[in-house]
């Protein structure tokens, strides 16, 4: 088949495809179907369970945990190895299960209806062609198909004949208005008015066309076949940025411990288990589990309550982090249909008569021109005017056709008289009116002002003619009297205004990227209470849109949308994009998180990270809030565990240099870490405070590392203060007893400081909310109980710990009191600075 079979005249295309106006025979169609395959897009690849699990090992902390687990097994520290490898396995399985659940939910939302097409086929070369319905999948290049209003274009086709044909191509171009099509030979190499593409829909008119491309050869499939590679999302940039800094520190820790032990104490490889335990102590072992659990719970809640499917779990975090949302106008802020705004007389004042006569013309054009359905503007006229036209006797209609931008209806107007009612583009209608040049220019200026305000404009004119039996023709459309103008605005999407206010309250700025006219897009924004800070054409955009204010960027091509989104990301914003067409795919892939509705074309759904049950900003607002819940809990976990772990590691390294024995045995370190990690599972079920949900949740590595370093040092100071107190208190003759008491006191102090950190450093919450502790409060209380009880119990004896006397408990209480006061003071100052 041809590399570009749609080019050339209709006759050249038919010859190139080896077909004719009578279509293919059944045998020819069968042979071509076997040669080129079915007319279906490629199915998305679904990874296996094993592949999903192995992908989880690419996460930095998971990879480091796996490495430390293997090192622990190598040095025969089987308990440590078992715990670490179990955490790795649980994390990978949870991540794979969440992604598989999202894919199942998405499959349930897909439209699985198989369409049919009307095609001309012959049983053999001598028989006459017959129109028949065949599955769209059976179409082949060279088939001749018929199109009518409401039909989906089943493949890429070249028009052979067309009558009043207009096609919705929003899924391909983003343009909401139907595009006129004609069977005339193309005027130039770039012209496409003679072509219709798969994924578009017939708005009005009828046509006969020849199929030029099917399946993978269509323009629709081309957008799906080679998507651009995605850049790292906000989640990847933030968590991975923090992770790799800590990974480097963890990789340095064991060699430092070994060298310090060898240089100062003469210890050799016997300190390797302790060095590995210290590195594990710095590792947020539960991060993969906490992250996956938080995101999976949020994704499951969204799917269950709001029919929002999160296909890629980290995208839920990205939703919580977005500060800019880019949307298309049509179908998101507005419905894909106009409504009447005003009807104006020639003097520019409201005149209901203009609307009445425009509706009469719409009614009789529909009845007499054999149009199966009114176009969008006629529907708006009939809805606004109510019953109109039936009180007259309709006689004839001259509809809109290719090259003709107005329609005329003829009705009986009393005995022996006919009334012609013409409506259409202002310039065309006014050219047919008996007007002085100055008056015509004034009316054109009035129409231009309305158009510049973002409204579509129809001019309406009438004329009275003597009755006759001879058919009316376009030659009768002259000497008309201008009645005035009818203007239209886009029907606003239900709940869009409230949803925009909700998003603004969440700190999300909305930018409108549309293929429409800039005035139309700006008018829709103003009608929704969204005042654009600037309105620009995509061709004029050289830098990112202004931060914190709405911008309208019109006449966007798919590449323009992706370019604008990439520019916003390069300027430091976390960007979401909501789109539903093939033309939106590049922008969906360029955004931190791509969002598509269930009704989007398949390639857009497959490219999106989040799929909405409906194209509704309200559901998207719920998804943003759910993302912030998950992100705030993940941030709380990271702040708590990393600051606490960093403080403990610094203290251990210092104590290892100062003490004649290991500051804590490897088994004691691991049990302490296990208790702390188990308590932190509560963060997956916490409810962050309102302040944490009111703004985008972004983990910025530099600020985050400053936070954990500051509080980590504060934690290390508390640990060193405990060392000092114990050094003064431990003066008994038996060094072994002193060593056991030291281990016990530090074991208890560590768990109690970690419980304090859990309560004081979580996101936006007080110690209690509504008189209840909440999951984190109960986990901290349980951790405190474990820290006090273990040294005195049988597990403490097995670990080499000893019971502590009341005096030691009082000393620890004094240290912890000072530490809690310092922690609360620093945290309060930090909160005030961030407001």
């Amino acid at each position: 088949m041809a590399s570009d079979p749609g080019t050339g005249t209709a006759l050249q295309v038919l010859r190139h495809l080896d077909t004719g106006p009578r279509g293919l025979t059944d045998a020819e169609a069968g042979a071509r179907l076997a040669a080129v395959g079915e007319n279906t897009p490629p199915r998305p690849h679904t990874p296996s369970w094993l592949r999903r699990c192995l992908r989880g090992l690419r996460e930095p902390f998971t990879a480091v945990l796996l490495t430390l687990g293997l090192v622990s097994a190598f040095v025969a520290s089987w308990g440590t190895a078992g715990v670490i490898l179990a955490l790795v396995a649980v994390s990978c399985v949870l991540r794979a299960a969440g992604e598989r659940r999202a894919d199942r939910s998405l499959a349930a939302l897909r439209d699985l209806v198989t369409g049919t097409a009307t095609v001309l086929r012959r049983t053999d070369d001598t028989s006459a062609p017959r129109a028949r319905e065949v599955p769209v999948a059976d179409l082949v290049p060279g088939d001749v198909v018929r199109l009518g209003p409401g039909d989906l274009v089943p493949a890429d086709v070249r028009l052979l004949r067309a009558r009043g044909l207009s096609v919705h191509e929003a899924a391909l171009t983003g343009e909401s208005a139907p595009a006129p099509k004609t069977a005339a030979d193309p005027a130039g190499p770039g012209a496409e008015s003679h072509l219709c593409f798969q994924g578009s829909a017939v708005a009005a008119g009828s046509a006969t066309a020849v199929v030029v491309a099917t399946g993978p050869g269509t323009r629709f499939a081309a957008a799906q076949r080679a998507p651009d590679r995605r850049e790292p999302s906000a989640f990847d940039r933030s968590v991975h940025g923090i992770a790799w800094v800590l990974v480097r520190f963890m990789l340095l820790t064991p060699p430092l411990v070994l060298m310090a032990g060898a240089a100062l104490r003469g210890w050799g490889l016997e300190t390797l288990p302790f060095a590995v335990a210290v590195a594990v102590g710095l590792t947020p072992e539960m991060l993969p589990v906490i992250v996956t659990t938080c995101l999976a719970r949020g994704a499951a809640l969204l799917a269950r309550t709001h029919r929002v499917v999160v296909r890629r779990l980290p995208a839920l975090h990205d939703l919580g982090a977005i500060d800019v949302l880019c949307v298309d106008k049509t179908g998101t802020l507005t419905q894909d249909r106009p409504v009447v705004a005003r009807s104006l007389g020639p003097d520019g004042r409201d005149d209901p008569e203009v609307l009445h006569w425009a509706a009469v013309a719409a009614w009789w054009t529909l009845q007499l021109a054999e149009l199966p359905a009114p176009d969008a503007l006629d529907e708006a006229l009939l809805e606004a005017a109510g019953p109109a036209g039936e009180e007259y006797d309709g006689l004839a209609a001259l509809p809109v056709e290719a090259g003709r931008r107005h329609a005329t209806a003829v009705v009986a107007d009393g005995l022996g008289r006919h009334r012609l009612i013409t409506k259409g583009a202002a310039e065309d209608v006014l050219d047919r009116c008996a007007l002085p040049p100055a008056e015509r220019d004034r009316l054109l200026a009035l129409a231009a002002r309305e158009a510049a305000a973002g409204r579509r404009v129809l001019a309406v004119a009438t004329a009275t003619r003597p009755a006759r039996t001879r058919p009316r023709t376009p030659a009768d459309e002259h000497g008309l009297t201008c009645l005035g103008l009818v203007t239209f605005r886009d029907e606003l999407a239900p709940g869009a205004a409230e949803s925009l206010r909700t998003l603004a309250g969440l700190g999300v700025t909305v930018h409108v990227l549309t293929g429409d006219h800039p005035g139309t897009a700006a008018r829709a924004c103003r009608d929704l209470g969204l005042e654009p800070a600037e309105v620009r054409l995509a061709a004029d955009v050289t830098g990112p849109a202004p931060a914190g204010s709405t911008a309208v960027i019109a006449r966007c091509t798919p590449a323009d949308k992706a370019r604008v989104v990439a520019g916003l990301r390069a300027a430091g914003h976390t960007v979401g994009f909501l789109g539903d067409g093939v033309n939106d795919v590049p922008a969906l892939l360029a955004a931190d998180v791509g969002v598509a509705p269930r009704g989007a074309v398949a390639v857009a759904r497959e490219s999106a990270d989040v799929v909405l049950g409906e194209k509704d900003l309200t559901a998207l607002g719920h998804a943003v809030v759910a993302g912030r819940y998950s992100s705030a809990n993940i941030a709380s976990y990271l702040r708590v565990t990393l600051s606490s772990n960093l403080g403990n590691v610094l203290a251990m390294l210092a104590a290892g240099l100062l003490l004649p024995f290991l500051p804590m045995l490897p088994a004691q370190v691991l049990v302490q870490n296990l208790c702390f990690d188990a308590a932190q599972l509560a963060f997956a079920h916490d409810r962050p405070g309102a302040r944490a949900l009111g703004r985008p949740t972004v983990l910025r590595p530099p600020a985050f590392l400053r936070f954990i370093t500051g509080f980590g040092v504060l934690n290390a100071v508390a640990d060193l203060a405990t060392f000092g107190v114990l050094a003064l208190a431990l003066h008994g003759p038996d060094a072994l007893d002193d060593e056991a008491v030291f281990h016990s006191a530090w074991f208890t102090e560590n768990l109690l400081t970690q419980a304090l950190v859990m309560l004081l450093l979580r996101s936006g919450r007080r110690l209690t909310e509504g008189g209840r502790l909440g999951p984190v409060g109960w986990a901290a209380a349980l951790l405190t109980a474990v820290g006090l009880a273990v040294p005195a119990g049988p597990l403490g004896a097995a670990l080499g710990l000893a019971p502590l006397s009341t005096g030691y408990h009082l000393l620890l209480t004094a240290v912890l009191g000072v530490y809690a006061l310092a922690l609360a003071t620093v945290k309060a100052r930090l909160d005030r600075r961030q407001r």
Side-chain angles (χ1 to χ4, degrees):
M1 299 302 167
S3 59
D4 191 5
T7 59
T9 66
L11 182 59
Q12 289 171 333
V13 171
L14 290 173
R15 286 176 176 173
H16 197 86
L17 293 169
D18 193 19
T19 186
R22 301 169 68 228
L24 301 173
T25 65
D26 291 334
E28 289 172 334
R32 295 189 185 195
L33 184 63
V36 302
E38 291 188 341
N39 179 33
T40 55
R43 298 293 297 173
H45 173 67
T46 302
S48 65
W49 256 101
L50 179 61
R51 183 175 294 273
R52 292 183 193 272
C53 290
L54 291 178
R55 282 196 313 205
L57 297 178
R58 295 183 300 185
E59 298 299 318
F61 279 127
T62 306
V64 170
L65 279 176
L66 178 62
T67 302
L68 291 176
L70 295 177
V71 170
S72 300
F74 178 75
V75 299
S77 184
W78 302 114
T80 305
V83 171
I84 295 175
L85 295 177
L87 288 173
V88 170
V90 168
S91 170
C92 292
V93 169
L94 281 176
R95 181 180 294 274
E99 291 179 354
R100 189 166 181 269
R101 189 185 308 114
D103 283 348
R104 286 202 309 267
S105 300
L106 181 66
L109 289 175
R110 289 193 184 106
D111 297 324
L112 300 178
V113 179
T114 57
T116 61
T118 302
V119 62
L120 294 182
R121 290 274 176 88
R122 297 172 290 148
T123 56
D124 54 50
D125 288 334
T126 60
S127 61
R130 291 190 304 109
R132 66 179 76 170
E133 294 288 321
V134 301
V136 168
D138 291 346
L139 288 182
V140 295
D143 264 328
V144 175
V145 296
R146 289 178 176 172
L147 302 173
D151 287 346
L152 294 176
V153 178
D156 288 358
V157 300
R158 202 281 186 205
L159 297 175
L160 302 177
R161 292 184 297 277
R163 183 171 183 268
L165 184 67
S166 60
V167 177
H168 284 294
E169 293 184 324
L172 296 164
T173 66
E175 188 74 52
S176 61
K181 297 291 183 178
T182 176
D185 292 336
E192 293 186 335
S193 61
H194 62 299
L195 299 175
C196 296
F197 302 101
Q198 186 181 51
S200 54
V202 177
S206 58
T208 301
V210 61
V211 174
V212 297
T214 61
T218 63
R219 183 171 296 189
F220 175 89
Q224 188 173 5
R225 182 168 55 246
D228 295 333
R229 189 175 182 84
R230 297 195 74 145
E231 295 183 5
S233 68
F235 179 84
D236 299 327
R237 295 194 305 270
S238 59
V239 174
H240 289 192
I242 296 166
W244 285 114
V245 171
L246 295 173
V247 163
R248 296 185 186 99
F249 192 82
M250 283 183 282
L251 294 177
L252 287 174
T253 300
L256 287 176
V257 173
L258 290 174
M259 288 187 294
L264 299 177
R265 304 298 180 192
W267 296 330
L269 289 179
E270 63 270 17
T271 60
L272 182 59
F274 175 73
V276 172
V278 170
V280 172
L282 182 62
T283 307
E285 298 99 328
M286 299 303 292
L287 178 62
V289 177
I290 294 288
V291 168
T292 305
T293 303
C294 286
L295 298 178
R297 288 185 73 247
L301 182 64
L302 280 174
R304 186 170 61 251
T305 58
H306 301 293
R307 300 180 64 215
V308 176
V309 178
V310 180
R311 300 187 63 233
R312 184 179 62 87
L313 282 182
L316 188 59
H317 166 274
D318 296 338
L319 272 176
I322 64 171
D323 59 339
V324 174
L325 174 66
C326 296
V327 301
D328 193 10
K329 176 184 70 69
T330 305
T332 305
L333 304 181
T334 65
Q335 301 184 58
D336 196 9
R337 66 186 186 93
V339 294
V340 172
R342 300 178 67 189
S343 60
L344 306 173
D347 58 358
R349 298 179 181 177
D350 290 333
D351 186 349
E353 281 296 304
V354 182
L355 175 61
H356 168 76
W357 287 112
V360 171
W363 172 261
W364 283 112
T365 302
L366 173 63
Q367 300 302 316
L368 299 175
E370 299 181 358
L371 298 176
D375 68 14
L377 296 183
D378 283 351
E379 279 187 325
L381 289 170
L382 295 172
E383 183 178 341
E390 298 182 46
E391 68 272 28
Y392 301 95
D393 291 329
L395 303 174
L398 303 173
V400 173
E401 293 181 347
R404 173 183 164 89
R405 300 190 299 164
H406 62 280
T408 296
V410 184
V411 299
D413 188 26
L415 185 61
R417 291 185 304 171
H418 291 172
R419 179 182 286 265
L420 280 68
I421 314 163
T422 300
K423 62 177 178 62
E427 186 173 353
D428 286 31
V429 173
L430 293 176
D431 283 345
R432 288 157 177 78
C433 293
L435 291 171
E439 180 66 8
R440 178 182 179 276
D441 291 343
R442 188 185 65 81
L443 291 172
L444 284 175
L446 175 61
R449 285 197 300 273
E450 292 294 321
R455 299 185 179 94
R456 301 184 193 178
V457 180
L458 283 184
V460 184
T462 66
T464 301
R465 300 279 192 267
R468 75 183 191 196
T469 58
R470 183 162 43 89
R472 296 288 178 180
T473 68
D476 294 309
E477 299 169 336
H478 65 86
L480 306 178
T481 300
C482 179
L483 294 182
L485 308 175
V486 179
T487 65
F488 302 82
R489 60 172 174 81
D490 287 333
E491 174 73 356
L492 303 180
E498 179 62 30
S499 300
L500 289 174
R501 285 193 292 271
T502 299
L503 289 171
L506 293 171
V508 178
T509 301
V510 176
H511 291 335
V512 181
L513 312 184
T514 178
D516 269 352
H517 186 279
T520 303
R523 167 56 56 184
C525 291
R526 294 187 182 101
D527 290 342
L528 289 165
L530 196 67
E531 183 62 35
E534 63 176 358
V535 180
R536 292 189 287 178
L537 294 177
D540 299 330
V541 175
T542 57
S549 56
T550 298
V552 172
I553 302 175
R555 300 301 190 196
C556 283
T557 65
D560 289 331
K561 293 182 179 182
R563 177 169 56 85
V564 171
V565 169
L568 288 166
R569 292 186 67 192
H573 297 286
T574 304
V575 184
F577 183 85
L578 173 60
D580 61 355
V582 174
N583 62 312
D584 293 322
V585 170
L588 287 168
L589 294 172
D592 287 291
V593 53
V595 185
R598 176 181 60 88
V601 298
V603 63
R605 289 199 305 266
E606 297 298 337
S607 301
D609 303 302
V610 177
V611 178
L612 307 179
E614 302 295 339
K615 193 170 186 180
D616 182 7
L617 287 176
T618 303
L620 187 57
H622 291 304
V624 169
V625 172
R628 292 187 183 176
Y629 266 100
S630 300
S631 299
N633 285 340
I634 293 170
S636 291
Y637 165 76
L638 284 172
R639 290 190 187 99
V640 168
T641 190
L642 292 179
S643 59
S644 179
N645 288 355
L646 179 62
N648 289 340
V649 167
L650 292 175
M652 280 188 184
L653 293 176
L657 298 177
L658 299 173
L659 296 175
F661 50 80
L662 290 176
M664 193 174 288
L665 301 179
Q668 296 167 358
V669 174
L670 292 173
V671 169
Q672 174 187 276
N673 289 339
L674 185 61
C675 292
F676 189 34
D677 291 339
Q680 289 179 102
L681 285 173
F683 282 112
H685 305 272
D686 196 23
R687 292 182 61 85
R691 188 165 58 83
L693 306 177
R695 60 178 182 269
T697 307
V698 183
L699 300 175
R700 303 191 185 279
F704 195 84
L705 290 173
R706 286 195 299 270
F707 180 97
I708 63 173
T709 301
F711 283 99
V713 170
L714 186 60
N715 183 277
V717 170
D719 286 343
L720 292 174
T722 304
F723 296 164
V725 169
L726 293 175
L728 294 175
L730 292 174
H731 48 76
D734 193 339
L736 291 178
D737 287 345
D738 290 349
E739 183 177 338
V741 171
F742 182 94
H743 289 163
S744 301
W746 196 16
F747 182 92
T748 299
E749 186 266 350
N750 259 333
L751 291 184
L752 296 186
T753 56
Q754 288 167 343
L756 282 174
V757 170
M758 286 180 65
L759 289 174
L760 295 176
L761 294 190
R762 56 183 173 156
S763 298
R765 290 291 299 270
R766 299 172 183 171
L767 289 179
T768 61
E769 293 278 340
R772 298 187 304 175
L773 286 177
V776 173
W778 283 112
L782 183 60
L783 188 63
T784 300
V786 169
L788 294 172
V790 165
L795 178 59
L799 294 173
L801 300 176
L804 296 175
S805 65
T806 303
Y808 287 117
H809 282 134
L810 292 176
L811 290 174
L812 294 179
T813 301
V815 173
L816 290 171
V818 175
Y819 174 63
L821 181 61
L823 193 66
T825 301
V826 175
K827 179 65 164 52
R829 292 182 60 185
L830 183 64
D831 288 343
R832 285 195 300 271
R833 189 182 309 162
Q834 292 178 345
R835 287 176 185 170

